[in-house]
Amino acid sequence: TPGISPTHQPVTPVSGKMQLVARIINPNNVMWKDHGARKTSGMIATGQDYMLAIQEWAKAIDAHKGKANLHVKVYMKNGRHYNLIYNDFKIYENMQYSHNGGSCPQGKCPNGPQMQHDDPRTGKAPSQWFDGACCCSSNNGFGWYGSCGFGQFGFIADSAHGGKFSHPIDRNGNYVNPPVGSPARGYGEIVSKQFWLYTGQKNQVVSIPTPLPTPGISP
């Protein structure tokens, strides 16, 4: 990956730059379960899977003088990939998050996307960080959850919810049950996900590069 290697230590972002903060290719990797993201510093990486410690996300955002947008790119096996952009994304000391609207380039979300079912789309979400799923997961995937639900990272749903690598938010920025990736949802299978912090111009929408080929997906 030009400029990014899974073994690199995190760096302070520079204005106008994209920083890869998570890449999920193999959700069965043990790094996506339990307390894998709660590290005070550094990162974890196995193969092509990569996760910058969630506290390092907060440091990178705080180090930037302007506003940072979070871009979530979901790669689908059928080629219907989509981006979710969370404007002015922040992480607080208690690991809750907030954002100020956003956009859904491949869908429609005039008020911005959700991250979890209780996400108000603008302002601080009541969702809490869980070191492992609060329900509905076969691999105990960590992430932000409201009163339970589906996770954002390497979350594999349990058999009652499709048993597949899943994402809780669809291309229109809405929380959906069953989740994206479930056969019952009918949107196709998820192949990989990428999370990027963009520290460029305020609210600027950019095209997220594909930094490495993913099996079954062409750039």
mmCIF file with all atom_site columns, all heavy atoms in Angstrom, residues 46-66:
data_model
loop_
_atom_site.group_PDB
_atom_site.id
_atom_site.type_symbol
_atom_site.label_atom_id
_atom_site.label_alt_id
_atom_site.label_comp_id
_atom_site.label_asym_id
_atom_site.label_entity_id
_atom_site.label_seq_id
_atom_site.pdbx_PDB_ins_code
_atom_site.Cartn_x
_atom_site.Cartn_y
_atom_site.Cartn_z
_atom_site.occupancy
_atom_site.B_iso_or_equiv
_atom_site.pdbx_formal_charge
_atom_site.auth_seq_id
_atom_site.auth_comp_id
_atom_site.auth_asym_id
_atom_site.auth_atom_id
_atom_site.pdbx_PDB_model_num
ATOM 1   N N   . THR A 1 46 ? -2.649  -8.261  11.665 1.00 0.00 ? 46 THR A N   1
ATOM 2   C CA  . THR A 1 46 ? -2.383  -9.655  11.337 1.00 0.00 ? 46 THR A CA  1
ATOM 3   C C   . THR A 1 46 ? -2.695  -9.831  9.861  1.00 0.00 ? 46 THR A C   1
ATOM 4   O O   . THR A 1 46 ? -3.834  -9.601  9.443  1.00 0.00 ? 46 THR A O   1
ATOM 5   C CB  . THR A 1 46 ? -3.261  -10.611 12.170 1.00 0.00 ? 46 THR A CB  1
ATOM 6   O OG1 . THR A 1 46 ? -3.023  -10.363 13.564 1.00 0.00 ? 46 THR A OG1 1
ATOM 7   C CG2 . THR A 1 46 ? -2.939  -12.057 11.848 1.00 0.00 ? 46 THR A CG2 1
ATOM 8   N N   . GLY A 1 47 ? -1.692  -10.217 9.076  1.00 0.00 ? 47 GLY A N   1
ATOM 9   C CA  . GLY A 1 47 ? -1.893  -10.287 7.646  1.00 0.00 ? 47 GLY A CA  1
ATOM 10  C C   . GLY A 1 47 ? -2.211  -8.904  7.100  1.00 0.00 ? 47 GLY A C   1
ATOM 11  O O   . GLY A 1 47 ? -1.525  -7.931  7.393  1.00 0.00 ? 47 GLY A O   1
ATOM 12  N N   . GLN A 1 48 ? -3.288  -8.792  6.336  1.00 0.00 ? 48 GLN A N   1
ATOM 13  C CA  . GLN A 1 48 ? -3.692  -7.502  5.794  1.00 0.00 ? 48 GLN A CA  1
ATOM 14  C C   . GLN A 1 48 ? -4.709  -6.793  6.682  1.00 0.00 ? 48 GLN A C   1
ATOM 15  O O   . GLN A 1 48 ? -5.105  -5.663  6.391  1.00 0.00 ? 48 GLN A O   1
ATOM 16  C CB  . GLN A 1 48 ? -4.274  -7.691  4.387  1.00 0.00 ? 48 GLN A CB  1
ATOM 17  C CG  . GLN A 1 48 ? -3.235  -8.155  3.369  1.00 0.00 ? 48 GLN A CG  1
ATOM 18  C CD  . GLN A 1 48 ? -3.820  -8.300  1.980  1.00 0.00 ? 48 GLN A CD  1
ATOM 19  O OE1 . GLN A 1 48 ? -5.028  -8.448  1.815  1.00 0.00 ? 48 GLN A OE1 1
ATOM 20  N NE2 . GLN A 1 48 ? -2.978  -8.254  0.977  1.00 0.00 ? 48 GLN A NE2 1
ATOM 21  N N   . ASP A 1 49 ? -5.131  -7.421  7.758  1.00 0.00 ? 49 ASP A N   1
ATOM 22  C CA  . ASP A 1 49 ? -6.050  -6.780  8.691  1.00 0.00 ? 49 ASP A CA  1
ATOM 23  C C   . ASP A 1 49 ? -5.279  -5.821  9.594  1.00 0.00 ? 49 ASP A C   1
ATOM 24  O O   . ASP A 1 49 ? -4.175  -6.132  10.066 1.00 0.00 ? 49 ASP A O   1
ATOM 25  C CB  . ASP A 1 49 ? -6.759  -7.833  9.539  1.00 0.00 ? 49 ASP A CB  1
ATOM 26  C CG  . ASP A 1 49 ? -7.774  -8.615  8.749  1.00 0.00 ? 49 ASP A CG  1
ATOM 27  O OD1 . ASP A 1 49 ? -7.392  -9.308  7.781  1.00 0.00 ? 49 ASP A OD1 1
ATOM 28  O OD2 . ASP A 1 49 ? -8.956  -8.523  9.079  1.00 0.00 ? 49 ASP A OD2 1
ATOM 29  N N   . TYR A 1 50 ? -5.885  -4.672  9.855  1.00 0.00 ? 50 TYR A N   1
ATOM 30  C CA  . TYR A 1 50 ? -5.184  -3.599  10.556 1.00 0.00 ? 50 TYR A CA  1
ATOM 31  C C   . TYR A 1 50 ? -6.177  -2.811  11.393 1.00 0.00 ? 50 TYR A C   1
ATOM 32  O O   . TYR A 1 50 ? -7.283  -2.511  10.936 1.00 0.00 ? 50 TYR A O   1
ATOM 33  C CB  . TYR A 1 50 ? -4.528  -2.680  9.532  1.00 0.00 ? 50 TYR A CB  1
ATOM 34  C CG  . TYR A 1 50 ? -3.930  -1.409  10.086 1.00 0.00 ? 50 TYR A CG  1
ATOM 35  C CD1 . TYR A 1 50 ? -2.647  -1.397  10.625 1.00 0.00 ? 50 TYR A CD1 1
ATOM 36  C CD2 . TYR A 1 50 ? -4.639  -0.208  10.054 1.00 0.00 ? 50 TYR A CD2 1
ATOM 37  C CE1 . TYR A 1 50 ? -2.091  -0.218  11.121 1.00 0.00 ? 50 TYR A CE1 1
ATOM 38  C CE2 . TYR A 1 50 ? -4.088  0.972   10.553 1.00 0.00 ? 50 TYR A CE2 1
ATOM 39  C CZ  . TYR A 1 50 ? -2.825  0.958   11.089 1.00 0.00 ? 50 TYR A CZ  1
ATOM 40  O OH  . TYR A 1 50 ? -2.279  2.114   11.579 1.00 0.00 ? 50 TYR A OH  1
ATOM 41  N N   . MET A 1 51 ? -5.796  -2.478  12.623 1.00 0.00 ? 51 MET A N   1
ATOM 42  C CA  . MET A 1 51 ? -6.632  -1.643  13.479 1.00 0.00 ? 51 MET A CA  1
ATOM 43  C C   . MET A 1 51 ? -5.763  -0.737  14.322 1.00 0.00 ? 51 MET A C   1
ATOM 44  O O   . MET A 1 51 ? -4.982  -1.201  15.156 1.00 0.00 ? 51 MET A O   1
ATOM 45  C CB  . MET A 1 51 ? -7.507  -2.505  14.400 1.00 0.00 ? 51 MET A CB  1
ATOM 46  C CG  . MET A 1 51 ? -8.381  -1.718  15.362 1.00 0.00 ? 51 MET A CG  1
ATOM 47  S SD  . MET A 1 51 ? -9.815  -0.980  14.564 1.00 0.00 ? 51 MET A SD  1
ATOM 48  C CE  . MET A 1 51 ? -10.499 -0.002  15.915 1.00 0.00 ? 51 MET A CE  1
ATOM 49  N N   . LEU A 1 52 ? -5.858  0.545   14.064 1.00 0.00 ? 52 LEU A N   1
ATOM 50  C CA  . LEU A 1 52 ? -5.212  1.517   14.931 1.00 0.00 ? 52 LEU A CA  1
ATOM 51  C C   . LEU A 1 52 ? -6.013  1.582   16.225 1.00 0.00 ? 52 LEU A C   1
ATOM 52  O O   . LEU A 1 52 ? -7.254  1.609   16.198 1.00 0.00 ? 52 LEU A O   1
ATOM 53  C CB  . LEU A 1 52 ? -5.199  2.894   14.255 1.00 0.00 ? 52 LEU A CB  1
ATOM 54  C CG  . LEU A 1 52 ? -4.462  4.032   14.961 1.00 0.00 ? 52 LEU A CG  1
ATOM 55  C CD1 . LEU A 1 52 ? -2.962  3.760   14.992 1.00 0.00 ? 52 LEU A CD1 1
ATOM 56  C CD2 . LEU A 1 52 ? -4.743  5.356   14.262 1.00 0.00 ? 52 LEU A CD2 1
ATOM 57  N N   . ALA A 1 53 ? -5.324  1.536   17.364 1.00 0.00 ? 53 ALA A N   1
ATOM 58  C CA  . ALA A 1 53 ? -6.018  1.560   18.655 1.00 0.00 ? 53 ALA A CA  1
ATOM 59  C C   . ALA A 1 53 ? -7.026  2.704   18.685 1.00 0.00 ? 53 ALA A C   1
ATOM 60  O O   . ALA A 1 53 ? -6.746  3.804   18.221 1.00 0.00 ? 53 ALA A O   1
ATOM 61  C CB  . ALA A 1 53 ? -5.004  1.717   19.781 1.00 0.00 ? 53 ALA A CB  1
ATOM 62  N N   . ILE A 1 54 ? -8.201  2.440   19.230 1.00 0.00 ? 54 ILE A N   1
ATOM 63  C CA  . ILE A 1 54 ? -9.275  3.431   19.183 1.00 0.00 ? 54 ILE A CA  1
ATOM 64  C C   . ILE A 1 54 ? -8.864  4.726   19.896 1.00 0.00 ? 54 ILE A C   1
ATOM 65  O O   . ILE A 1 54 ? -9.261  5.828   19.507 1.00 0.00 ? 54 ILE A O   1
ATOM 66  C CB  . ILE A 1 54 ? -10.583 2.832   19.764 1.00 0.00 ? 54 ILE A CB  1
ATOM 67  C CG1 . ILE A 1 54 ? -11.793 3.613   19.280 1.00 0.00 ? 54 ILE A CG1 1
ATOM 68  C CG2 . ILE A 1 54 ? -10.533 2.714   21.271 1.00 0.00 ? 54 ILE A CG2 1
ATOM 69  C CD1 . ILE A 1 54 ? -12.100 3.432   17.818 1.00 0.00 ? 54 ILE A CD1 1
ATOM 70  N N   . GLN A 1 55 ? -8.019  4.600   20.931 1.00 0.00 ? 55 GLN A N   1
ATOM 71  C CA  . GLN A 1 55 ? -7.519  5.810   21.586 1.00 0.00 ? 55 GLN A CA  1
ATOM 72  C C   . GLN A 1 55 ? -6.610  6.605   20.654 1.00 0.00 ? 55 GLN A C   1
ATOM 73  O O   . GLN A 1 55 ? -6.513  7.831   20.751 1.00 0.00 ? 55 GLN A O   1
ATOM 74  C CB  . GLN A 1 55 ? -6.774  5.465   22.877 1.00 0.00 ? 55 GLN A CB  1
ATOM 75  C CG  . GLN A 1 55 ? -7.695  5.020   24.006 1.00 0.00 ? 55 GLN A CG  1
ATOM 76  C CD  . GLN A 1 55 ? -7.917  3.523   24.019 1.00 0.00 ? 55 GLN A CD  1
ATOM 77  O OE1 . GLN A 1 55 ? -7.709  2.844   23.010 1.00 0.00 ? 55 GLN A OE1 1
ATOM 78  N NE2 . GLN A 1 55 ? -8.337  2.980   25.151 1.00 0.00 ? 55 GLN A NE2 1
ATOM 79  N N   . GLU A 1 56 ? -5.926  5.910   19.718 1.00 0.00 ? 56 GLU A N   1
ATOM 80  C CA  . GLU A 1 56 ? -5.083  6.606   18.755 1.00 0.00 ? 56 GLU A CA  1
ATOM 81  C C   . GLU A 1 56 ? -5.940  7.358   17.732 1.00 0.00 ? 56 GLU A C   1
ATOM 82  O O   . GLU A 1 56 ? -5.521  8.383   17.217 1.00 0.00 ? 56 GLU A O   1
ATOM 83  C CB  . GLU A 1 56 ? -4.166  5.614   18.039 1.00 0.00 ? 56 GLU A CB  1
ATOM 84  C CG  . GLU A 1 56 ? -3.097  4.988   18.917 1.00 0.00 ? 56 GLU A CG  1
ATOM 85  C CD  . GLU A 1 56 ? -1.947  5.943   19.220 1.00 0.00 ? 56 GLU A CD  1
ATOM 86  O OE1 . GLU A 1 56 ? -1.946  7.076   18.699 1.00 0.00 ? 56 GLU A OE1 1
ATOM 87  O OE2 . GLU A 1 56 ? -1.040  5.542   19.973 1.00 0.00 ? 56 GLU A OE2 1
ATOM 88  N N   . TRP A 1 57 ? -7.128  6.850   17.449 1.00 0.00 ? 57 TRP A N   1
ATOM 89  C CA  . TRP A 1 57 ? -8.043  7.619   16.595 1.00 0.00 ? 57 TRP A CA  1
ATOM 90  C C   . TRP A 1 57 ? -8.301  8.980   17.241 1.00 0.00 ? 57 TRP A C   1
ATOM 91  O O   . TRP A 1 57 ? -8.238  10.012  16.575 1.00 0.00 ? 57 TRP A O   1
ATOM 92  C CB  . TRP A 1 57 ? -9.386  6.903   16.462 1.00 0.00 ? 57 TRP A CB  1
ATOM 93  C CG  . TRP A 1 57 ? -9.444  5.642   15.698 1.00 0.00 ? 57 TRP A CG  1
ATOM 94  C CD1 . TRP A 1 57 ? -8.476  4.684   15.583 1.00 0.00 ? 57 TRP A CD1 1
ATOM 95  C CD2 . TRP A 1 57 ? -10.557 5.161   14.936 1.00 0.00 ? 57 TRP A CD2 1
ATOM 96  N NE1 . TRP A 1 57 ? -8.920  3.637   14.809 1.00 0.00 ? 57 TRP A NE1 1
ATOM 97  C CE2 . TRP A 1 57 ? -10.192 3.901   14.400 1.00 0.00 ? 57 TRP A CE2 1
ATOM 98  C CE3 . TRP A 1 57 ? -11.823 5.664   14.674 1.00 0.00 ? 57 TRP A CE3 1
ATOM 99  C CZ2 . TRP A 1 57 ? -11.061 3.154   13.613 1.00 0.00 ? 57 TRP A CZ2 1
ATOM 100 C CZ3 . TRP A 1 57 ? -12.688 4.915   13.899 1.00 0.00 ? 57 TRP A CZ3 1
ATOM 101 C CH2 . TRP A 1 57 ? -12.304 3.678   13.367 1.00 0.00 ? 57 TRP A CH2 1
ATOM 102 N N   . ALA A 1 58 ? -8.610  8.936   18.529 1.00 0.00 ? 58 ALA A N   1
ATOM 103 C CA  . ALA A 1 58 ? -8.913  10.179  19.240 1.00 0.00 ? 58 ALA A CA  1
ATOM 104 C C   . ALA A 1 58 ? -7.716  11.122  19.230 1.00 0.00 ? 58 ALA A C   1
ATOM 105 O O   . ALA A 1 58 ? -7.865  12.336  19.036 1.00 0.00 ? 58 ALA A O   1
ATOM 106 C CB  . ALA A 1 58 ? -9.337  9.869   20.678 1.00 0.00 ? 58 ALA A CB  1
ATOM 107 N N   . LYS A 1 59 ? -6.515  10.583  19.425 1.00 0.00 ? 59 LYS A N   1
ATOM 108 C CA  . LYS A 1 59 ? -5.310  11.420  19.409 1.00 0.00 ? 59 LYS A CA  1
ATOM 109 C C   . LYS A 1 59 ? -5.097  12.061  18.039 1.00 0.00 ? 59 LYS A C   1
ATOM 110 O O   . LYS A 1 59 ? -4.721  13.226  17.932 1.00 0.00 ? 59 LYS A O   1
ATOM 111 C CB  . LYS A 1 59 ? -4.090  10.590  19.795 1.00 0.00 ? 59 LYS A CB  1
ATOM 112 C CG  . LYS A 1 59 ? -4.054  10.119  21.246 1.00 0.00 ? 59 LYS A CG  1
ATOM 113 C CD  . LYS A 1 59 ? -2.837  9.240   21.497 1.00 0.00 ? 59 LYS A CD  1
ATOM 114 C CE  . LYS A 1 59 ? -2.830  8.663   22.894 1.00 0.00 ? 59 LYS A CE  1
ATOM 115 N NZ  . LYS A 1 59 ? -1.662  7.748   23.105 1.00 0.00 ? 59 LYS A NZ  1
ATOM 116 N N   . ALA A 1 60 ? -5.317  11.281  16.979 1.00 0.00 ? 60 ALA A N   1
ATOM 117 C CA  . ALA A 1 60 ? -5.134  11.797  15.624 1.00 0.00 ? 60 ALA A CA  1
ATOM 118 C C   . ALA A 1 60 ? -6.130  12.918  15.331 1.00 0.00 ? 60 ALA A C   1
ATOM 119 O O   . ALA A 1 60 ? -5.781  13.928  14.709 1.00 0.00 ? 60 ALA A O   1
ATOM 120 C CB  . ALA A 1 60 ? -5.296  10.668  14.607 1.00 0.00 ? 60 ALA A CB  1
ATOM 121 N N   . ILE A 1 61 ? -7.366  12.742  15.784 1.00 0.00 ? 61 ILE A N   1
ATOM 122 C CA  . ILE A 1 61 ? -8.377  13.779  15.591 1.00 0.00 ? 61 ILE A CA  1
ATOM 123 C C   . ILE A 1 61 ? -8.018  15.026  16.377 1.00 0.00 ? 61 ILE A C   1
ATOM 124 O O   . ILE A 1 61 ? -8.088  16.154  15.871 1.00 0.00 ? 61 ILE A O   1
ATOM 125 C CB  . ILE A 1 61 ? -9.765  13.246  16.005 1.00 0.00 ? 61 ILE A CB  1
ATOM 126 C CG1 . ILE A 1 61 ? -10.200 12.125  15.051 1.00 0.00 ? 61 ILE A CG1 1
ATOM 127 C CG2 . ILE A 1 61 ? -10.796 14.368  16.016 1.00 0.00 ? 61 ILE A CG2 1
ATOM 128 C CD1 . ILE A 1 61 ? -11.423 11.350  15.539 1.00 0.00 ? 61 ILE A CD1 1
ATOM 129 N N   . ASP A 1 62 ? -7.618  14.844  17.640 1.00 0.00 ? 62 ASP A N   1
ATOM 130 C CA  . ASP A 1 62 ? -7.282  15.982  18.495 1.00 0.00 ? 62 ASP A CA  1
ATOM 131 C C   . ASP A 1 62 ? -6.047  16.719  17.992 1.00 0.00 ? 62 ASP A C   1
ATOM 132 O O   . ASP A 1 62 ? -5.929  17.933  18.171 1.00 0.00 ? 62 ASP A O   1
ATOM 133 C CB  . ASP A 1 62 ? -7.052  15.519  19.932 1.00 0.00 ? 62 ASP A CB  1
ATOM 134 C CG  . ASP A 1 62 ? -8.332  15.022  20.596 1.00 0.00 ? 62 ASP A CG  1
ATOM 135 O OD1 . ASP A 1 62 ? -9.426  15.325  20.076 1.00 0.00 ? 62 ASP A OD1 1
ATOM 136 O OD2 . ASP A 1 62 ? -8.233  14.320  21.622 1.00 0.00 ? 62 ASP A OD2 1
ATOM 137 N N   . ALA A 1 63 ? -5.120  15.975  17.350 1.00 0.00 ? 63 ALA A N   1
ATOM 138 C CA  . ALA A 1 63 ? -3.890  16.611  16.869 1.00 0.00 ? 63 ALA A CA  1
ATOM 139 C C   . ALA A 1 63 ? -4.151  17.514  15.674 1.00 0.00 ? 63 ALA A C   1
ATOM 140 O O   . ALA A 1 63 ? -3.369  18.423  15.391 1.00 0.00 ? 63 ALA A O   1
ATOM 141 C CB  . ALA A 1 63 ? -2.872  15.536  16.489 1.00 0.00 ? 63 ALA A CB  1
ATOM 142 N N   . HIS A 1 64 ? -5.249  17.270  14.968 1.00 0.00 ? 64 HIS A N   1
ATOM 143 C CA  . HIS A 1 64 ? -5.589  18.089  13.808 1.00 0.00 ? 64 HIS A CA  1
ATOM 144 C C   . HIS A 1 64 ? -6.283  19.362  14.276 1.00 0.00 ? 64 HIS A C   1
ATOM 145 O O   . HIS A 1 64 ? -7.180  19.312  15.099 1.00 0.00 ? 64 HIS A O   1
ATOM 146 C CB  . HIS A 1 64 ? -6.492  17.283  12.872 1.00 0.00 ? 64 HIS A CB  1
ATOM 147 C CG  . HIS A 1 64 ? -6.932  18.040  11.670 1.00 0.00 ? 64 HIS A CG  1
ATOM 148 N ND1 . HIS A 1 64 ? -6.043  18.580  10.777 1.00 0.00 ? 64 HIS A ND1 1
ATOM 149 C CD2 . HIS A 1 64 ? -8.168  18.352  11.222 1.00 0.00 ? 64 HIS A CD2 1
ATOM 150 C CE1 . HIS A 1 64 ? -6.725  19.191  9.819  1.00 0.00 ? 64 HIS A CE1 1
ATOM 151 N NE2 . HIS A 1 64 ? -8.009  19.067  10.075 1.00 0.00 ? 64 HIS A NE2 1
ATOM 152 N N   . LYS A 1 65 ? -5.881  20.504  13.728 1.00 0.00 ? 65 LYS A N   1
ATOM 153 C CA  . LYS A 1 65 ? -6.430  21.788  14.170 1.00 0.00 ? 65 LYS A CA  1
ATOM 154 C C   . LYS A 1 65 ? -7.847  22.032  13.651 1.00 0.00 ? 65 LYS A C   1
ATOM 155 O O   . LYS A 1 65 ? -8.605  22.781  14.247 1.00 0.00 ? 65 LYS A O   1
ATOM 156 C CB  . LYS A 1 65 ? -5.507  22.925  13.719 1.00 0.00 ? 65 LYS A CB  1
ATOM 157 C CG  . LYS A 1 65 ? -4.087  22.820  14.261 1.00 0.00 ? 65 LYS A CG  1
ATOM 158 C CD  . LYS A 1 65 ? -4.071  22.791  15.781 1.00 0.00 ? 65 LYS A CD  1
ATOM 159 C CE  . LYS A 1 65 ? -2.646  22.705  16.314 1.00 0.00 ? 65 LYS A CE  1
ATOM 160 N NZ  . LYS A 1 65 ? -2.614  22.629  17.801 1.00 0.00 ? 65 LYS A NZ  1
ATOM 161 N N   . GLY A 1 66 ? -8.198  21.393  12.549 1.00 0.00 ? 66 GLY A N   1
ATOM 162 C CA  . GLY A 1 66 ? -9.532  21.563  11.999 1.00 0.00 ? 66 GLY A CA  1
ATOM 163 C C   . GLY A 1 66 ? -10.434 20.408  12.356 1.00 0.00 ? 66 GLY A C   1
ATOM 164 O O   . GLY A 1 66 ? -10.248 19.728  13.375 1.00 0.00 ? 66 GLY A O   1
#
